[in-house]
Amino acid sequence: MIKDISGKLIDNISLAVRGKKAEIRLVCAALLAGGHVLLEDVPGTGKTMLARSLARSIDCDFRRIQFTPDLLPSDITGINFYNMKEQEFVLKKGPVFANVLLADEINRATPRTQSALLECMEERQTTIDGESLRLPSPFFVIATQNPVETAGTYPLPEAQLDRFMIKLQLGYPERAEEINVISGAKSANAADELNAVCSAEDIARAQKEIDECTASEAVCGYIADIAEATRKHAAVKLGLSTRGAVALKRMAAALALISGRSYVMPQDVAEAAPWVIRHRLVCRGYSLQGGADRTADEVLRQVLDSVSVPTESVEE
């Protein structure tokens, strides 16, 4: 089921976001694995277009929040207001009560407002005036941020970064595709022209398949060894968390199912590792984000080279 759904999603989104099938595949894998995605790139590379195209491809409830410094937590979660006519408090649900939530320029909001998403992303619920409310299923956050503009922004804390299953960059398009965009061959509203190819129920059922995807003891041990190696690396102050290791396994399982296999192989783990691990590493001696990213890449290469790869993966 996941292979069919992912194929439809990738092909449909590619009609609006050209030349980025590899990145679209990763986003769809994270969605089907039950995770969240952080898109970080310079302005104008199609981050919001990708998010909107994904939402349009699924027949589900979609909300978008434009994060700004004056945004309040209640603007995200909702609020109880007093209805004078009914003489009672009424809950007005916020945009977080959606299947797909686009958090645009998430790092422009204050830490207090960003923290409103922590419970939502991890526990699929939110608390309003002491009452816990379940969010719709599936619940998927796709957030964007600009890494080069620091004025008026608030870097995401490690606790929130750890709740994103993957972080990736789209990059600039190939020359031929960029010429098509410049010439107007691709409409600026291409995402709005897409039709839904699956439903929210399809996504929810597909997410349950992840739990049924087999990962042998050797593969799970491989993931644990990678996590341990990141924690012991001399250049790393904070390595891969247990939550991150679980995310790596689920992301690898999604990639395996998309490829048509019902079991995880070491190459699935290696393919998922850069996108799952890099943003979770806190390296020593680097305060600039770009420098930290470069160091994380170097650490990850060394870790993957040093950890023994299982020679066998048992299909059950």
Side-chain angles (χ1 to χ4, degrees):
M1 181 178 182
I2 281 185
K3 184 177 181 181
D4 294 337
I5 290 178
S6 62
K8 292 177 182 178
L9 286 173
I10 293 169
D11 291 342
N12 202 53
I13 296 170
S14 296
L15 296 176
V17 183
R18 305 291 182 86
K20 298 295 177 183
K21 275 204 170 185
E23 290 80 3
I24 295 171
R25 179 173 177 269
L26 289 168
V27 171
C28 291
L31 165 67
L32 297 172
H36 309 289
V37 175
L38 177 61
L39 299 177
E40 181 184 79
D41 216 325
V42 296
T45 52
K47 301 185 297 295
T48 304
M49 174 73 79
L50 172 55
R52 290 175 56 226
S53 299
L54 174 66
R56 291 285 299 180
S57 298
I58 306 170
D59 185 14
C60 66
D61 193 8
F62 168 66
R63 294 289 185 273
R64 173 179 176 175
I65 307 174
Q66 186 66 49
F67 278 67
T68 55
D70 61 347
L71 194 72
L72 298 175
S74 59
D75 294 328
I76 297 174
T77 60
I79 191 172
N80 284 309
F81 72 97
Y82 190 70
N83 187 320
M84 296 292 292
K85 183 179 180 180
E86 301 294 335
Q87 297 289 297
E88 63 180 3
F89 282 95
V90 178
L91 173 64
K92 181 180 180 181
K93 292 183 177 181
V96 76
F97 287 89
N99 296 116
V100 178
L101 177 67
L102 168 57
D104 216 357
E105 296 187 290
I106 190 173
N107 57 332
R108 289 195 175 278
T110 61
R112 178 177 176 228
T113 301
Q114 291 179 15
S115 67
L117 281 176
L118 294 180
E119 182 183 12
C120 301
M121 294 172 68
E122 180 66 16
E123 301 175 40
R124 266 60 173 183
Q125 69 176 32
T126 188
T127 303
I128 302 175
D129 293 339
E131 182 183 0
S132 295
L133 302 171
R134 297 297 301 175
L135 298 178
S137 179
F139 175 68
F140 176 65
V141 175
I142 181 166
T144 70
Q145 70 174 6
N146 177 2
V148 297
E149 190 173 0
T150 58
T153 62
Y154 303 85
L156 298 184
E158 283 72 21
Q160 185 157 357
L161 284 173
D162 199 39
R163 282 165 168 78
F164 286 102
M165 178 170 281
I166 64 169
K167 171 186 166 186
L168 55 85
Q169 299 80 32
L170 291 182
Y172 292 111
E174 297 292 335
R175 183 175 184 274
E177 193 53 51
E178 190 162 26
I179 290 174
N180 288 336
V181 175
I182 294 171
S183 65
K186 187 175 73 172
S187 169
N189 299 318
D192 297 329
E193 299 170 3
L194 297 179
N195 296 316
V197 294
C198 64
S199 66
E201 291 74 18
D202 293 332
I203 300 298
R205 285 195 296 269
Q207 288 177 348
K208 293 180 180 178
E209 285 190 34
I210 299 295
D211 298 326
E212 301 171 4
C213 186
T214 302
S216 67
E217 185 176 348
V219 170
C220 291
Y222 180 47
I223 294 173
D225 291 342
I226 291 174
E228 184 68 15
T230 64
R231 298 164 191 162
K232 291 183 176 180
H233 197 284
V236 176
K237 182 164 60 175
L238 182 64
L240 185 65
S241 66
T242 302
R243 181 196 288 129
V246 173
L248 179 55
K249 185 259 184 183
R250 291 187 66 84
M251 185 68 180
L255 292 173
L257 288 167
I258 287 175
S259 299
R261 280 181 282 105
S262 60
Y263 57 96
V264 182
M265 298 180 68
Q267 52 261 44
D268 299 318
V269 177
E271 181 183 357
W275 318 108
V276 174
I277 298 176
R278 183 166 45 202
H279 65 285
R280 290 180 161 90
L281 299 183
V282 178
C283 299
R284 302 181 187 276
Y286 284 85
S287 58
L288 294 178
Q289 192 166 2
D293 282 350
R294 287 194 295 273
T295 303
D297 284 335
E298 296 167 4
V299 168
L300 192 54
R301 281 196 295 270
Q302 293 171 9
V303 165
L304 293 178
D305 287 343
S306 65
V307 176
S308 299
V309 181
T311 56
E312 294 183 4
S313 180
V314 180
E315 181 183 2
E316 298 181 359

PDB file of all heavy atoms in Angstrom, residues 230-253:
ATOM      1  N   THR A 230      27.806   8.448  17.539  1.00  0.00           N
ATOM      2  CA  THR A 230      27.644   9.912  17.516  1.00  0.00           C
ATOM      3  C   THR A 230      27.833  10.501  18.914  1.00  0.00           C
ATOM      4  O   THR A 230      28.366  11.605  19.060  1.00  0.00           O
ATOM      5  CB  THR A 230      26.248  10.311  16.992  1.00  0.00           C
ATOM      6  OG1 THR A 230      25.221   9.838  17.885  1.00  0.00           O
ATOM      7  CG2 THR A 230      25.999   9.753  15.600  1.00  0.00           C
ATOM      8  N   ARG A 231      27.417   9.764  19.947  1.00  0.00           N
ATOM      9  CA  ARG A 231      27.532  10.276  21.315  1.00  0.00           C
ATOM     10  C   ARG A 231      28.979  10.272  21.804  1.00  0.00           C
ATOM     11  O   ARG A 231      29.343  11.089  22.656  1.00  0.00           O
ATOM     12  CB  ARG A 231      26.662   9.435  22.256  1.00  0.00           C
ATOM     13  CG  ARG A 231      25.169   9.473  21.921  1.00  0.00           C
ATOM     14  CD  ARG A 231      24.417   8.350  22.599  1.00  0.00           C
ATOM     15  NE  ARG A 231      23.053   8.219  22.082  1.00  0.00           N
ATOM     16  CZ  ARG A 231      22.297   7.135  22.238  1.00  0.00           C
ATOM     17  NH1 ARG A 231      22.773   6.090  22.905  1.00  0.00           N
ATOM     18  NH2 ARG A 231      21.072   7.098  21.740  1.00  0.00           N
ATOM     19  N   LYS A 232      29.791   9.344  21.290  1.00  0.00           N
ATOM     20  CA  LYS A 232      31.173   9.224  21.747  1.00  0.00           C
ATOM     21  C   LYS A 232      32.157  10.003  20.884  1.00  0.00           C
ATOM     22  O   LYS A 232      33.341  10.072  21.230  1.00  0.00           O
ATOM     23  CB  LYS A 232      31.569   7.739  21.766  1.00  0.00           C
ATOM     24  CG  LYS A 232      30.843   6.927  22.839  1.00  0.00           C
ATOM     25  CD  LYS A 232      31.332   5.490  22.859  1.00  0.00           C
ATOM     26  CE  LYS A 232      30.678   4.705  23.994  1.00  0.00           C
ATOM     27  NZ  LYS A 232      31.148   3.286  24.024  1.00  0.00           N
ATOM     28  N   HIS A 233      31.691  10.566  19.776  1.00  0.00           N
ATOM     29  CA  HIS A 233      32.603  11.289  18.883  1.00  0.00           C
ATOM     30  C   HIS A 233      33.158  12.519  19.590  1.00  0.00           C
ATOM     31  O   HIS A 233      32.426  13.264  20.250  1.00  0.00           O
ATOM     32  CB  HIS A 233      31.860  11.697  17.605  1.00  0.00           C
ATOM     33  CG  HIS A 233      32.772  12.064  16.484  1.00  0.00           C
ATOM     34  ND1 HIS A 233      33.452  13.269  16.438  1.00  0.00           N
ATOM     35  CD2 HIS A 233      33.121  11.390  15.348  1.00  0.00           C
ATOM     36  CE1 HIS A 233      34.162  13.320  15.333  1.00  0.00           C
ATOM     37  NE2 HIS A 233      33.983  12.194  14.657  1.00  0.00           N
ATOM     38  N   ALA A 234      34.448  12.755  19.420  1.00  0.00           N
ATOM     39  CA  ALA A 234      35.125  13.846  20.131  1.00  0.00           C
ATOM     40  C   ALA A 234      34.605  15.229  19.741  1.00  0.00           C
ATOM     41  O   ALA A 234      34.687  16.170  20.536  1.00  0.00           O
ATOM     42  CB  ALA A 234      36.630  13.764  19.867  1.00  0.00           C
ATOM     43  N   ALA A 235      34.072  15.359  18.523  1.00  0.00           N
ATOM     44  CA  ALA A 235      33.619  16.668  18.052  1.00  0.00           C
ATOM     45  C   ALA A 235      32.160  16.941  18.391  1.00  0.00           C
ATOM     46  O   ALA A 235      31.639  17.999  18.041  1.00  0.00           O
ATOM     47  CB  ALA A 235      33.829  16.773  16.538  1.00  0.00           C
ATOM     48  N   VAL A 236      31.493  15.998  19.058  1.00  0.00           N
ATOM     49  CA  VAL A 236      30.057  16.114  19.314  1.00  0.00           C
ATOM     50  C   VAL A 236      29.789  16.353  20.796  1.00  0.00           C
ATOM     51  O   VAL A 236      30.300  15.623  21.656  1.00  0.00           O
ATOM     52  CB  VAL A 236      29.318  14.844  18.837  1.00  0.00           C
ATOM     53  CG1 VAL A 236      27.835  14.920  19.202  1.00  0.00           C
ATOM     54  CG2 VAL A 236      29.471  14.689  17.333  1.00  0.00           C
ATOM     55  N   LYS A 237      29.014  17.379  21.086  1.00  0.00           N
ATOM     56  CA  LYS A 237      28.597  17.663  22.461  1.00  0.00           C
ATOM     57  C   LYS A 237      27.291  16.949  22.792  1.00  0.00           C
ATOM     58  O   LYS A 237      27.068  16.523  23.907  1.00  0.00           O
ATOM     59  CB  LYS A 237      28.435  19.174  22.634  1.00  0.00           C
ATOM     60  CG  LYS A 237      28.051  19.608  24.038  1.00  0.00           C
ATOM     61  CD  LYS A 237      28.291  21.097  24.264  1.00  0.00           C
ATOM     62  CE  LYS A 237      27.475  21.937  23.296  1.00  0.00           C
ATOM     63  NZ  LYS A 237      27.602  23.378  23.583  1.00  0.00           N
ATOM     64  N   LEU A 238      26.411  16.835  21.802  1.00  0.00           N
ATOM     65  CA  LEU A 238      25.129  16.145  21.987  1.00  0.00           C
ATOM     66  C   LEU A 238      24.879  15.269  20.772  1.00  0.00           C
ATOM     67  O   LEU A 238      24.740  15.770  19.651  1.00  0.00           O
ATOM     68  CB  LEU A 238      23.992  17.157  22.162  1.00  0.00           C
ATOM     69  CG  LEU A 238      22.594  16.570  22.402  1.00  0.00           C
ATOM     70  CD1 LEU A 238      22.558  15.811  23.723  1.00  0.00           C
ATOM     71  CD2 LEU A 238      21.538  17.688  22.412  1.00  0.00           C
ATOM     72  N   GLY A 239      24.840  13.951  20.993  1.00  0.00           N
ATOM     73  CA  GLY A 239      24.670  13.017  19.896  1.00  0.00           C
ATOM     74  C   GLY A 239      23.220  12.647  19.663  1.00  0.00           C
ATOM     75  O   GLY A 239      22.292  13.304  20.139  1.00  0.00           O
ATOM     76  N   LEU A 240      23.019  11.564  18.925  1.00  0.00           N
ATOM     77  CA  LEU A 240      21.682  11.121  18.547  1.00  0.00           C
ATOM     78  C   LEU A 240      20.923  10.617  19.768  1.00  0.00           C
ATOM     79  O   LEU A 240      21.415   9.765  20.511  1.00  0.00           O
ATOM     80  CB  LEU A 240      21.773  10.018  17.489  1.00  0.00           C
ATOM     81  CG  LEU A 240      20.457   9.520  16.889  1.00  0.00           C
ATOM     82  CD1 LEU A 240      19.771  10.623  16.095  1.00  0.00           C
ATOM     83  CD2 LEU A 240      20.709   8.304  15.995  1.00  0.00           C
ATOM     84  N   SER A 241      19.721  11.125  19.974  1.00  0.00           N
ATOM     85  CA  SER A 241      18.886  10.699  21.092  1.00  0.00           C
ATOM     86  C   SER A 241      18.225   9.365  20.772  1.00  0.00           C
ATOM     87  O   SER A 241      18.230   8.891  19.633  1.00  0.00           O
ATOM     88  CB  SER A 241      17.808  11.749  21.373  1.00  0.00           C
ATOM     89  OG  SER A 241      16.905  11.822  20.275  1.00  0.00           O
ATOM     90  N   THR A 242      17.623   8.772  21.804  1.00  0.00           N
ATOM     91  CA  THR A 242      16.872   7.533  21.589  1.00  0.00           C
ATOM     92  C   THR A 242      15.678   7.808  20.672  1.00  0.00           C
ATOM     93  O   THR A 242      15.341   6.976  19.821  1.00  0.00           O
ATOM     94  CB  THR A 242      16.392   6.958  22.933  1.00  0.00           C
ATOM     95  OG1 THR A 242      17.519   6.732  23.776  1.00  0.00           O
ATOM     96  CG2 THR A 242      15.656   5.649  22.718  1.00  0.00           C
ATOM     97  N   ARG A 243      15.024   8.961  20.851  1.00  0.00           N
ATOM     98  CA  ARG A 243      13.940   9.338  19.940  1.00  0.00           C
ATOM     99  C   ARG A 243      14.455   9.417  18.511  1.00  0.00           C
ATOM    100  O   ARG A 243      13.787   8.982  17.569  1.00  0.00           O
ATOM    101  CB  ARG A 243      13.334  10.682  20.346  1.00  0.00           C
ATOM    102  CG  ARG A 243      12.182  11.101  19.434  1.00  0.00           C
ATOM    103  CD  ARG A 243      11.863  12.579  19.593  1.00  0.00           C
ATOM    104  NE  ARG A 243      11.208  12.855  20.862  1.00  0.00           N
ATOM    105  CZ  ARG A 243      11.593  13.776  21.723  1.00  0.00           C
ATOM    106  NH1 ARG A 243      12.665  14.510  21.487  1.00  0.00           N
ATOM    107  NH2 ARG A 243      10.920  13.979  22.844  1.00  0.00           N
ATOM    108  N   GLY A 244      15.659   9.943  18.338  1.00  0.00           N
ATOM    109  CA  GLY A 244      16.249  10.030  17.006  1.00  0.00           C
ATOM    110  C   GLY A 244      16.556   8.661  16.424  1.00  0.00           C
ATOM    111  O   GLY A 244      16.386   8.432  15.221  1.00  0.00           O
ATOM    112  N   ALA A 245      17.003   7.722  17.280  1.00  0.00           N
ATOM    113  CA  ALA A 245      17.277   6.366  16.806  1.00  0.00           C
ATOM    114  C   ALA A 245      16.002   5.678  16.348  1.00  0.00           C
ATOM    115  O   ALA A 245      15.982   4.968  15.328  1.00  0.00           O
ATOM    116  CB  ALA A 245      17.957   5.559  17.914  1.00  0.00           C
ATOM    117  N   VAL A 246      14.908   5.890  17.096  1.00  0.00           N
ATOM    118  CA  VAL A 246      13.612   5.334  16.682  1.00  0.00           C
ATOM    119  C   VAL A 246      13.158   5.960  15.367  1.00  0.00           C
ATOM    120  O   VAL A 246      12.643   5.274  14.469  1.00  0.00           O
ATOM    121  CB  VAL A 246      12.552   5.562  17.783  1.00  0.00           C
ATOM    122  CG1 VAL A 246      11.174   5.145  17.299  1.00  0.00           C
ATOM    123  CG2 VAL A 246      12.922   4.784  19.041  1.00  0.00           C
ATOM    124  N   ALA A 247      13.372   7.272  15.233  1.00  0.00           N
ATOM    125  CA  ALA A 247      13.013   7.960  13.989  1.00  0.00           C
ATOM    126  C   ALA A 247      13.819   7.410  12.815  1.00  0.00           C
ATOM    127  O   ALA A 247      13.293   7.261  11.700  1.00  0.00           O
ATOM    128  CB  ALA A 247      13.242   9.464  14.134  1.00  0.00           C
ATOM    129  N   LEU A 248      15.092   7.104  13.060  1.00  0.00           N
ATOM    130  CA  LEU A 248      15.937   6.543  11.997  1.00  0.00           C
ATOM    131  C   LEU A 248      15.397   5.189  11.546  1.00  0.00           C
ATOM    132  O   LEU A 248      15.345   4.889  10.349  1.00  0.00           O
ATOM    133  CB  LEU A 248      17.367   6.399  12.509  1.00  0.00           C
ATOM    134  CG  LEU A 248      18.392   5.796  11.538  1.00  0.00           C
ATOM    135  CD1 LEU A 248      18.429   6.570  10.230  1.00  0.00           C
ATOM    136  CD2 LEU A 248      19.780   5.763  12.184  1.00  0.00           C
ATOM    137  N   LYS A 249      14.964   4.368  12.502  1.00  0.00           N
ATOM    138  CA  LYS A 249      14.410   3.059  12.147  1.00  0.00           C
ATOM    139  C   LYS A 249      13.119   3.203  11.355  1.00  0.00           C
ATOM    140  O   LYS A 249      12.897   2.526  10.343  1.00  0.00           O
ATOM    141  CB  LYS A 249      14.191   2.249  13.419  1.00  0.00           C
ATOM    142  CG  LYS A 249      13.738   0.810  13.171  1.00  0.00           C
ATOM    143  CD  LYS A 249      12.254   0.640  13.383  1.00  0.00           C
ATOM    144  CE  LYS A 249      11.812  -0.806  13.235  1.00  0.00           C
ATOM    145  NZ  LYS A 249      10.347  -0.974  13.368  1.00  0.00           N
ATOM    146  N   ARG A 250      12.231   4.124  11.777  1.00  0.00           N
ATOM    147  CA  ARG A 250      10.948   4.302  11.094  1.00  0.00           C
ATOM    148  C   ARG A 250      11.157   4.913   9.708  1.00  0.00           C
ATOM    149  O   ARG A 250      10.463   4.541   8.756  1.00  0.00           O
ATOM    150  CB  ARG A 250      10.020   5.172  11.930  1.00  0.00           C
ATOM    151  CG  ARG A 250       9.542   4.506  13.214  1.00  0.00           C
ATOM    152  CD  ARG A 250       8.496   5.345  13.930  1.00  0.00           C
ATOM    153  NE  ARG A 250       7.259   5.457  13.147  1.00  0.00           N
ATOM    154  CZ  ARG A 250       6.294   4.555  13.150  1.00  0.00           C
ATOM    155  NH1 ARG A 250       6.418   3.459  13.874  1.00  0.00           N
ATOM    156  NH2 ARG A 250       5.194   4.738  12.434  1.00  0.00           N
ATOM    157  N   MET A 251      12.084   5.840   9.587  1.00  0.00           N
ATOM    158  CA  MET A 251      12.366   6.432   8.285  1.00  0.00           C
ATOM    159  C   MET A 251      12.952   5.379   7.339  1.00  0.00           C
ATOM    160  O   MET A 251      12.575   5.311   6.160  1.00  0.00           O
ATOM    161  CB  MET A 251      13.343   7.599   8.437  1.00  0.00           C
ATOM    162  CG  MET A 251      13.603   8.371   7.155  1.00  0.00           C
ATOM    163  SD  MET A 251      12.160   9.296   6.581  1.00  0.00           S
ATOM    164  CE  MET A 251      12.825  10.057   5.093  1.00  0.00           C
ATOM    165  N   ALA A 252      13.846   4.543   7.844  1.00  0.00           N
ATOM    166  CA  ALA A 252      14.413   3.463   7.034  1.00  0.00           C
ATOM    167  C   ALA A 252      13.326   2.478   6.614  1.00  0.00           C
ATOM    168  O   ALA A 252      13.317   1.986   5.474  1.00  0.00           O
ATOM    169  CB  ALA A 252      15.512   2.745   7.816  1.00  0.00           C
ATOM    170  N   ALA A 253      12.373   2.201   7.525  1.00  0.00           N
ATOM    171  CA  ALA A 253      11.269   1.297   7.197  1.00  0.00           C
ATOM    172  C   ALA A 253      10.396   1.887   6.097  1.00  0.00           C
ATOM    173  O   ALA A 253       9.949   1.174   5.190  1.00  0.00           O
ATOM    174  CB  ALA A 253      10.435   1.021   8.443  1.00  0.00           C
TER     175      ALA A 253
END
